[in-house]
Amino acid sequence: MSPSHRRQPDEDSWRPDGSGAGGSGPGGGSGPHPAGTATDPVAPPPDELFAEMLRAARSLLAIRSPLEAELVVSKLLGSWWGNRLISGDAEQLFGEGLVGHAARAGTPAALALLTGIASLGTVRQSAAAEHAALRLIRDGVPRPGWAESLGAVEAHECHVSRTLYGDSDELICTFSYRGEAAHALIAVIDYNSGGMLRDAWVTSKLDRLFAHVRAQAASDPMARFEPMDPVRARGLLEEALAETNAAAVPKVSEGFAGYHALVRSRIRALPPNRRRRPLHPVYGRDRRATLAARFLASAEAAELSDSYTAGRCVDQIIDYGCDADFGRPLRISPVKTELFLLTWLPRKVILTPAEQEAMPHVLAAWTRWAGRVGELPAEAIRAVLDTLWESTEPFSAAYRDPASYGVDWSVLPRLLPDGDLEALPRRMFAFPLLTGVHGDLDLDELDPCEPADRRRLLRLDHMDLPEPPAPGADAAAEGAAAEAERHLDRHDELATRLWDGDPPQLWEAAERLLDQGEQRLDVLHRLIDALTAAAGDDAALVRALDEL
């Protein structure tokens, strides 16, 4: 947790629902949670919904502060954030539908709403709202007093508040409207959740905010409060917001949806990364090998008895830090340790029994070494080690033993030629018959990576289908056999996609259906129906799979 992660109860963190300070988000009583509507399909909005939102927009006519006006509009635009539609895009259907409704209404409240959407909406929403607003202005509809300020947002300083563990960054970026109405956007990036932006809020009491975080940084040896280049801040925020938007069920704070549009707008106000500087360190093979060698030559690694096994284990530790932790192999924290042992390793890596036994001890040595290199306080290193030893027993139990899937070790080379342990369950689902003898066919010799062998395995999985007809068979037999081949073609496409994990939503949908008690063959056919209906449109396929 970053040192200023709690919103102070006497800050004026304005909430669009009018409830004033406190409330949701950090310090407001509710931590991160999945957006409640993220997986709920919703029907197209009726005009009554747009009319209700336009009535709510009347409050914009009584507002004098441009920041308050933007927060009201952001709250309205956040009404549908996280929703998935049966067909179409929620931002387009709701947002552009609301713009069209306001344009037709032609009232002062409609113009105020359009002005706000022109500033905070998506590119398409903004363009449509600006066009409609200009038409209403030409027709003589009066503009609210704050309207001129919305296009005059200026970015100023950026800072970051974090702990030495580095689990999250709390970015504080200050803005004003041409030097007036200064305010700060506080945004929390959670690196243990894939770098997701999980919370954001606004305050205008900058003196109190900065006094608070500086006091915490001065009193807590684990806390850091530092300036950040606004260009880098924009890049991090863009990356984090994209991660949040892409999540099927983003784990965000309760009030995040209401700030989503404002966050998007403030990111655009920050200077762009025109030089395309990388946001995170890049570790190639040589740099990783050098890091491993430094560790293995350290005093902390001296007590590891099997240097070969230790080297194999430390390679996985470094890969995790480089590939899954944004190029930070030396970062240690209790949460990162638990995620590595209990989530990443069991899903991604096949460890030999010797490596499974050695991994906690190698990780403990790595923790001591990385903590020393990173100059962490001794108590911080002890806290990480405590989590490590507490996780050792669950690690042994949670690590995926292929035998728990009913898979013989001899089958693994055929199912996992690429070593991707995460692919094991979906590939087993696609090819359950890999051992034994059928007639004169030895299944142990069939390789599901080879197209011809894959076809044989799929045919054995469909014993009820007719065999290819003998020469001279009647038309009915030939027709039935042709239809059987077309059916196998569809299963072949599905099996190939499951093997490759393309798209990931395919296996996710299969798991949901299996968890609901559906039989394997029924699940296969429902997935095939989704593939057929999508007709090669990947976006349509993902939507269809999400609905299963």
Side-chain angles (χ1 to χ4, degrees):
M1 290 287 185
S2 58
S4 61
H5 81 286
R6 294 294 177 189
R7 180 186 298 143
Q8 299 305 297
D10 55 347
E11 283 187 34
D12 65 338
S13 299
W14 195 92
R15 295 182 63 204
D17 58 5
S19 58
S24 62
S30 177
H33 71 290
T37 57
T39 57
D40 301 329
V42 295
D47 285 341
E48 290 80 3
L49 174 61
F50 292 144
E52 181 181 348
M53 298 180 79
L54 191 54
R55 285 192 292 272
R58 292 175 184 171
S59 63
L60 292 169
L61 301 177
I63 287 175
R64 295 185 179 181
S65 163
L67 178 59
E68 289 189 19
E70 286 193 293
L71 286 164
V72 168
V73 175
S74 184
K75 175 72 172 180
L76 290 173
L77 293 178
S79 300
W80 56 79
W81 182 79
N83 279 302
R84 286 201 178 158
L85 303 183
I86 295 174
S87 61
D89 176 76
E91 291 281 7
Q92 180 176 348
L93 188 61
F94 284 86
E96 294 173 32
L98 178 59
V99 169
H101 184 88
R104 292 188 296 272
T107 62
L111 177 56
L113 179 57
L114 290 169
T115 303
I117 295 176
S119 174
L120 301 182
T122 65
V123 173
R124 288 173 58 110
Q125 292 168 7
S126 297
E130 184 175 4
H131 179 77
L134 289 173
R135 182 179 62 79
L136 294 184
I137 292 171
R138 287 195 298 268
D139 291 344
V141 179
R143 299 179 72 192
W146 45 260
E148 291 290 343
S149 298
L150 295 197
V153 175
E154 299 174 345
H156 298 294
E157 297 179 346
C158 293
H159 294 78
V160 60
S161 176
R162 59 165 71 102
T163 72
L164 293 182
Y165 282 142
D167 290 316
S168 64
D169 278 350
E170 191 172 276
L171 271 59
I172 301 174
C173 300
T174 59
F175 303 87
S176 69
Y177 302 91
R178 293 197 183 97
E180 301 293 330
H183 55 280
L185 170 72
I186 302 96
V188 181
I189 301 174
D190 186 350
Y191 294 110
N192 292 320
S193 297
M196 186 179 297
L197 186 65
R198 65 169 171 82
D199 197 11
W201 67 96
V202 170
T203 182
S204 60
K205 291 190 175 181
L206 302 188
D207 291 343
R208 184 177 298 177
L209 171 66
F210 283 108
H212 170 70
V213 292
R214 286 185 177 121
Q216 282 200 340
S219 63
D220 184 351
M222 285 291 291
R224 292 292 183 270
F225 180 63
E226 304 164 339
M228 175 177 282
D229 179 4
V231 172
R232 176 170 174 77
R234 173 170 176 160
L236 291 174
L237 289 170
E238 283 179 331
E239 182 181 73
L241 185 61
E243 187 71 24
T244 301
N245 290 338
V249 184
K251 295 181 179 180
V252 296
S253 66
E254 184 177 355
F256 178 81
Y259 287 98
H260 180 267
L262 183 70
V263 170
R264 181 173 55 202
S265 173
R266 290 302 182 268
I267 290 175
R268 292 195 293 248
L270 291 166
N273 183 5
R274 300 192 187 281
R275 296 183 181 179
R276 302 297 179 189
R277 303 176 214 164
L279 290 173
H280 310 289
V282 178
Y283 278 76
R285 181 179 300 176
D286 291 344
R287 191 176 179 188
R288 297 184 192 202
T290 300
L291 188 60
R294 285 177 55 199
F295 163 70
L296 293 172
S298 69
E300 287 82 2
E303 296 182 1
L304 299 174
S305 57
D306 185 343
S307 59
Y308 174 78
T309 300
R312 298 265 299 176
C313 290
V314 80
D315 285 344
Q316 302 301 338
I317 296 170
I318 293 173
D319 286 347
Y320 177 70
C322 295
D323 300 334
D325 193 31
F326 304 90
R328 300 184 296 174
L330 289 172
R331 183 178 84 84
I332 62 171
S333 84
V335 178
K336 179 180 177 180
T337 296
E338 187 173 2
L339 288 173
F340 172 69
L341 281 178
L342 303 185
T343 301
W344 191 81
L345 270 179
R347 294 184 62 191
K348 292 289 187 181
V349 182
I350 299 176
L351 296 178
T352 66
E355 291 164 355
Q356 290 184 44
E357 182 177 352
M359 179 60 78
H361 303 284
V362 176
L363 184 56
W366 175 272
T367 297
R368 297 187 185 98
W369 178 72
R372 175 172 62 83
V373 171
E375 299 181 348
L376 264 65
E379 59 270 23
I381 299 174
R382 283 196 298 270
V384 179
L385 291 172
D386 287 345
T387 298
L388 165 60
W389 300 126
E390 290 170 1
S391 302
T392 298
E393 185 175 348
F395 165 72
S396 301
Y399 197 88
R400 289 185 175 177
D401 179 359
S404 67
Y405 292 103
V407 181
D408 189 275
W409 277 96
S410 64
V411 175
L412 286 181
R414 286 187 287 156
L415 282 174
L416 303 175
D418 51 5
D420 184 4
L421 185 60
E422 189 176 15
L424 180 59
R426 54 182 161 84
R427 291 176 182 176
M428 284 187 57
F429 177 75
F431 298 102
L433 302 176
L434 289 170
T435 59
V437 177
H438 179 75
D440 58 356
L441 186 62
D442 185 355
L443 273 62
D444 293 274
E445 297 180 356
L446 298 181
D447 184 354
C449 289
E450 295 295 330
D453 287 356
R454 176 173 295 189
R455 191 74 169 195
R456 293 189 184 97
L457 290 168
L458 291 172
R459 181 173 291 281
L460 289 172
D461 197 26
H462 291 77
M463 298 295 292
D464 56 326
L465 292 180
E467 295 288 337
D474 58 27
E478 290 183 350
E483 177 57 34
E485 291 305 310
R486 287 192 290 271
H487 186 77
L488 284 177
D489 287 342
R490 292 191 287 271
H491 276 276
D492 204 340
E493 179 189 2
L494 174 61
T496 301
R497 283 179 172 270
L498 284 169
W499 184 276
D500 296 333
D502 178 27
Q505 290 85 352
L506 195 65
W507 176 237
E508 292 170 5
E511 287 184 303
R512 288 197 303 272
L513 295 173
L514 291 169
D515 288 343
Q516 293 169 9
E518 296 203 25
Q519 297 300 308
R520 173 178 173 273
L521 187 58
D522 294 332
V523 173
L524 289 171
H525 288 158
R526 292 191 66 180
L527 297 178
I528 287 173
D529 289 343
L531 282 169
T532 303
D537 184 337
D538 289 343
L541 174 60
V542 169
R543 288 196 297 270
L545 293 171
D546 286 342
E547 294 165 21
L548 291 180

Short mmCIF file of all heavy atoms in Angstrom, two decimals, residues 506-537:
data_model
loop_
_atom_site.label_atom_id
_atom_site.label_comp_id
_atom_site.label_asym_id
_atom_site.label_seq_id
_atom_site.Cartn_x
_atom_site.Cartn_y
_atom_site.Cartn_z
N LEU A 506 -12.31 -18.51 -25.12
CA LEU A 506 -12.87 -19.80 -25.53
C LEU A 506 -12.82 -20.79 -24.37
O LEU A 506 -13.82 -21.44 -24.03
CB LEU A 506 -12.09 -20.32 -26.73
CG LEU A 506 -12.72 -21.46 -27.53
CD1 LEU A 506 -14.00 -21.01 -28.19
CD2 LEU A 506 -11.74 -21.96 -28.58
N TRP A 507 -11.65 -20.93 -23.75
CA TRP A 507 -11.52 -21.85 -22.63
C TRP A 507 -12.24 -21.32 -21.40
O TRP A 507 -12.80 -22.09 -20.62
CB TRP A 507 -10.05 -22.13 -22.34
CG TRP A 507 -9.82 -23.00 -21.14
CD1 TRP A 507 -9.08 -22.73 -20.05
CD2 TRP A 507 -10.36 -24.32 -20.93
NE1 TRP A 507 -9.10 -23.77 -19.15
CE2 TRP A 507 -9.89 -24.77 -19.67
CE3 TRP A 507 -11.19 -25.16 -21.67
CZ2 TRP A 507 -10.22 -26.01 -19.14
CZ3 TRP A 507 -11.52 -26.40 -21.15
CH2 TRP A 507 -11.04 -26.81 -19.90
N GLU A 508 -12.26 -20.01 -21.21
CA GLU A 508 -12.99 -19.43 -20.08
C GLU A 508 -14.47 -19.78 -20.18
O GLU A 508 -15.11 -20.13 -19.17
CB GLU A 508 -12.81 -17.92 -20.06
CG GLU A 508 -11.39 -17.48 -19.72
CD GLU A 508 -11.17 -16.00 -19.94
OE1 GLU A 508 -12.16 -15.30 -20.29
OE2 GLU A 508 -10.03 -15.52 -19.78
N ALA A 509 -15.03 -19.71 -21.38
CA ALA A 509 -16.44 -20.06 -21.57
C ALA A 509 -16.66 -21.56 -21.31
O ALA A 509 -17.65 -21.96 -20.68
CB ALA A 509 -16.89 -19.70 -22.98
N ALA A 510 -15.73 -22.39 -21.78
CA ALA A 510 -15.85 -23.83 -21.55
C ALA A 510 -15.83 -24.14 -20.06
O ALA A 510 -16.62 -24.96 -19.57
CB ALA A 510 -14.71 -24.57 -22.26
N GLU A 511 -14.93 -23.49 -19.32
CA GLU A 511 -14.86 -23.73 -17.88
C GLU A 511 -16.16 -23.33 -17.19
O GLU A 511 -16.63 -24.04 -16.29
CB GLU A 511 -13.68 -22.95 -17.28
CG GLU A 511 -12.33 -23.53 -17.62
CD GLU A 511 -11.21 -22.78 -16.92
OE1 GLU A 511 -11.11 -21.55 -17.12
OE2 GLU A 511 -10.45 -23.42 -16.18
N ARG A 512 -16.73 -22.20 -17.59
CA ARG A 512 -18.00 -21.77 -16.97
C ARG A 512 -19.10 -22.80 -17.21
O ARG A 512 -19.85 -23.15 -16.30
CB ARG A 512 -18.44 -20.42 -17.53
CG ARG A 512 -17.60 -19.24 -17.07
CD ARG A 512 -18.32 -17.93 -17.33
NE ARG A 512 -18.68 -17.74 -18.72
CZ ARG A 512 -17.89 -17.19 -19.63
NH1 ARG A 512 -16.67 -16.80 -19.30
NH2 ARG A 512 -18.31 -17.04 -20.88
N LEU A 513 -19.18 -23.31 -18.44
CA LEU A 513 -20.23 -24.28 -18.76
C LEU A 513 -20.00 -25.60 -18.03
O LEU A 513 -20.95 -26.22 -17.54
CB LEU A 513 -20.26 -24.51 -20.27
CG LEU A 513 -20.67 -23.29 -21.11
CD1 LEU A 513 -20.50 -23.59 -22.60
CD2 LEU A 513 -22.10 -22.87 -20.82
N LEU A 514 -18.75 -26.02 -17.94
CA LEU A 514 -18.45 -27.25 -17.20
C LEU A 514 -18.77 -27.09 -15.72
O LEU A 514 -19.29 -28.01 -15.08
CB LEU A 514 -16.98 -27.63 -17.39
CG LEU A 514 -16.58 -28.08 -18.80
CD1 LEU A 514 -15.06 -28.16 -18.92
CD2 LEU A 514 -17.21 -29.43 -19.14
N ASP A 515 -18.46 -25.92 -15.17
CA ASP A 515 -18.76 -25.67 -13.76
C ASP A 515 -20.26 -25.69 -13.49
O ASP A 515 -20.69 -25.98 -12.37
CB ASP A 515 -18.19 -24.30 -13.34
CG ASP A 515 -16.67 -24.33 -13.23
OD1 ASP A 515 -16.11 -25.44 -13.17
OD2 ASP A 515 -16.06 -23.25 -13.22
N GLN A 516 -21.04 -25.38 -14.52
CA GLN A 516 -22.50 -25.40 -14.36
C GLN A 516 -23.08 -26.80 -14.55
O GLN A 516 -24.29 -26.98 -14.47
CB GLN A 516 -23.14 -24.44 -15.36
CG GLN A 516 -22.81 -22.97 -15.08
CD GLN A 516 -23.21 -22.05 -16.21
OE1 GLN A 516 -23.88 -22.47 -17.14
NE2 GLN A 516 -22.80 -20.80 -16.13
N GLY A 517 -22.22 -27.78 -14.79
CA GLY A 517 -22.67 -29.16 -14.88
C GLY A 517 -22.94 -29.67 -16.28
O GLY A 517 -23.43 -30.80 -16.44
N GLU A 518 -22.63 -28.90 -17.32
CA GLU A 518 -22.87 -29.37 -18.68
C GLU A 518 -21.85 -30.44 -19.07
O GLU A 518 -20.70 -30.41 -18.63
CB GLU A 518 -22.83 -28.20 -19.67
CG GLU A 518 -23.93 -27.18 -19.45
CD GLU A 518 -24.22 -26.38 -20.71
OE1 GLU A 518 -23.95 -26.89 -21.82
OE2 GLU A 518 -24.72 -25.24 -20.57
N GLN A 519 -22.28 -31.37 -19.90
CA GLN A 519 -21.40 -32.46 -20.33
C GLN A 519 -20.40 -31.95 -21.37
O GLN A 519 -20.66 -30.98 -22.10
CB GLN A 519 -22.23 -33.60 -20.90
CG GLN A 519 -23.17 -34.25 -19.90
CD GLN A 519 -22.41 -34.83 -18.72
OE1 GLN A 519 -21.46 -35.60 -18.90
NE2 GLN A 519 -22.83 -34.48 -17.51
N ARG A 520 -19.27 -32.64 -21.45
CA ARG A 520 -18.20 -32.19 -22.33
C ARG A 520 -18.68 -32.04 -23.77
O ARG A 520 -18.39 -31.03 -24.43
CB ARG A 520 -17.02 -33.18 -22.27
CG ARG A 520 -15.92 -32.88 -23.28
CD ARG A 520 -14.77 -33.85 -23.16
NE ARG A 520 -13.81 -33.66 -24.24
CZ ARG A 520 -13.89 -34.24 -25.43
NH1 ARG A 520 -14.90 -35.10 -25.68
NH2 ARG A 520 -12.98 -33.99 -26.36
N LEU A 521 -19.38 -33.04 -24.31
CA LEU A 521 -19.80 -32.98 -25.71
C LEU A 521 -20.75 -31.81 -25.95
O LEU A 521 -20.65 -31.13 -26.98
CB LEU A 521 -20.47 -34.30 -26.11
CG LEU A 521 -20.82 -34.45 -27.60
CD1 LEU A 521 -19.56 -34.31 -28.45
CD2 LEU A 521 -21.49 -35.79 -27.85
N ASP A 522 -21.63 -31.55 -24.99
CA ASP A 522 -22.54 -30.41 -25.14
C ASP A 522 -21.77 -29.09 -25.13
O ASP A 522 -22.09 -28.17 -25.88
CB ASP A 522 -23.58 -30.41 -24.01
CG ASP A 522 -24.52 -31.59 -24.09
OD1 ASP A 522 -24.75 -32.08 -25.22
OD2 ASP A 522 -25.02 -32.02 -23.03
N VAL A 523 -20.75 -29.03 -24.29
CA VAL A 523 -19.93 -27.81 -24.24
C VAL A 523 -19.20 -27.61 -25.56
O VAL A 523 -19.16 -26.48 -26.10
CB VAL A 523 -18.93 -27.88 -23.08
CG1 VAL A 523 -17.95 -26.69 -23.13
CG2 VAL A 523 -19.66 -27.90 -21.74
N LEU A 524 -18.63 -28.68 -26.11
CA LEU A 524 -17.95 -28.58 -27.40
C LEU A 524 -18.88 -28.04 -28.47
O LEU A 524 -18.51 -27.16 -29.26
CB LEU A 524 -17.42 -29.95 -27.82
CG LEU A 524 -16.22 -30.50 -27.04
CD1 LEU A 524 -15.96 -31.95 -27.43
CD2 LEU A 524 -14.98 -29.66 -27.30
N HIS A 525 -20.11 -28.54 -28.50
CA HIS A 525 -21.04 -28.11 -29.55
C HIS A 525 -21.49 -26.67 -29.34
O HIS A 525 -21.71 -25.94 -30.31
CB HIS A 525 -22.24 -29.06 -29.59
CG HIS A 525 -21.89 -30.40 -30.16
ND1 HIS A 525 -22.63 -31.54 -29.91
CD2 HIS A 525 -20.86 -30.79 -30.96
CE1 HIS A 525 -22.09 -32.57 -30.54
NE2 HIS A 525 -21.01 -32.14 -31.18
N ARG A 526 -21.61 -26.23 -28.10
CA ARG A 526 -21.97 -24.82 -27.87
C ARG A 526 -20.83 -23.90 -28.29
O ARG A 526 -21.07 -22.81 -28.82
CB ARG A 526 -22.32 -24.61 -26.40
CG ARG A 526 -23.62 -25.31 -25.98
CD ARG A 526 -24.09 -24.88 -24.62
NE ARG A 526 -24.47 -23.46 -24.61
CZ ARG A 526 -24.92 -22.83 -23.53
NH1 ARG A 526 -25.04 -23.48 -22.38
NH2 ARG A 526 -25.23 -21.56 -23.58
N LEU A 527 -19.61 -24.33 -28.07
CA LEU A 527 -18.47 -23.53 -28.53
C LEU A 527 -18.41 -23.50 -30.05
O LEU A 527 -18.11 -22.46 -30.66
CB LEU A 527 -17.17 -24.10 -27.97
CG LEU A 527 -17.01 -24.07 -26.45
CD1 LEU A 527 -15.67 -24.70 -26.05
CD2 LEU A 527 -17.10 -22.66 -25.90
N ILE A 528 -18.69 -24.63 -30.67
CA ILE A 528 -18.71 -24.68 -32.14
C ILE A 528 -19.80 -23.76 -32.69
O ILE A 528 -19.60 -23.06 -33.69
CB ILE A 528 -18.91 -26.13 -32.62
CG1 ILE A 528 -17.62 -26.93 -32.40
CG2 ILE A 528 -19.31 -26.17 -34.09
CD1 ILE A 528 -17.75 -28.41 -32.68
N ASP A 529 -20.95 -23.74 -32.05
CA ASP A 529 -22.03 -22.85 -32.50
C ASP A 529 -21.59 -21.39 -32.44
O ASP A 529 -21.90 -20.60 -33.33
CB ASP A 529 -23.28 -23.05 -31.62
CG ASP A 529 -23.96 -24.38 -31.87
OD1 ASP A 529 -23.68 -25.00 -32.91
OD2 ASP A 529 -24.76 -24.81 -31.01
N ALA A 530 -20.85 -21.03 -31.37
CA ALA A 530 -20.35 -19.66 -31.26
C ALA A 530 -19.36 -19.35 -32.38
O ALA A 530 -19.38 -18.26 -32.97
CB ALA A 530 -19.71 -19.44 -29.89
N LEU A 531 -18.47 -20.31 -32.69
CA LEU A 531 -17.51 -20.11 -33.77
C LEU A 531 -18.22 -19.95 -35.11
O LEU A 531 -17.87 -19.09 -35.92
CB LEU A 531 -16.56 -21.31 -33.84
CG LEU A 531 -15.42 -21.37 -32.82
CD1 LEU A 531 -14.75 -22.74 -32.86
CD2 LEU A 531 -14.40 -20.29 -33.12
N THR A 532 -19.23 -20.79 -35.33
CA THR A 532 -19.96 -20.73 -36.60
C THR A 532 -20.71 -19.41 -36.76
O THR A 532 -20.68 -18.78 -37.81
CB THR A 532 -20.95 -21.90 -36.69
OG1 THR A 532 -20.23 -23.14 -36.54
CG2 THR A 532 -21.68 -21.89 -38.03
N ALA A 533 -21.35 -18.96 -35.67
CA ALA A 533 -22.12 -17.71 -35.73
C ALA A 533 -21.22 -16.51 -35.95
O ALA A 533 -21.59 -15.54 -36.61
CB ALA A 533 -22.93 -17.54 -34.45
N ALA A 534 -20.01 -16.56 -35.40
CA ALA A 534 -19.09 -15.43 -35.54
C ALA A 534 -18.57 -15.29 -36.96
O ALA A 534 -18.21 -14.18 -37.38
CB ALA A 534 -17.93 -15.58 -34.57
N ALA A 535 -18.50 -16.38 -37.71
CA ALA A 535 -18.12 -16.36 -39.13
C ALA A 535 -16.80 -15.62 -39.35
O ALA A 535 -16.67 -14.80 -40.26
CB ALA A 535 -19.24 -15.74 -39.97
N GLY A 536 -15.82 -15.89 -38.50
CA GLY A 536 -14.51 -15.29 -38.68
C GLY A 536 -14.31 -13.91 -38.07
O GLY A 536 -13.22 -13.36 -38.14
N ASP A 537 -15.36 -13.36 -37.47
CA ASP A 537 -15.25 -12.05 -36.82
C ASP A 537 -14.82 -12.28 -35.37
O ASP A 537 -15.61 -12.73 -34.54
CB ASP A 537 -16.61 -11.34 -36.87
CG ASP A 537 -16.56 -9.93 -36.30
OD1 ASP A 537 -15.66 -9.64 -35.50
OD2 ASP A 537 -17.46 -9.12 -36.64
#
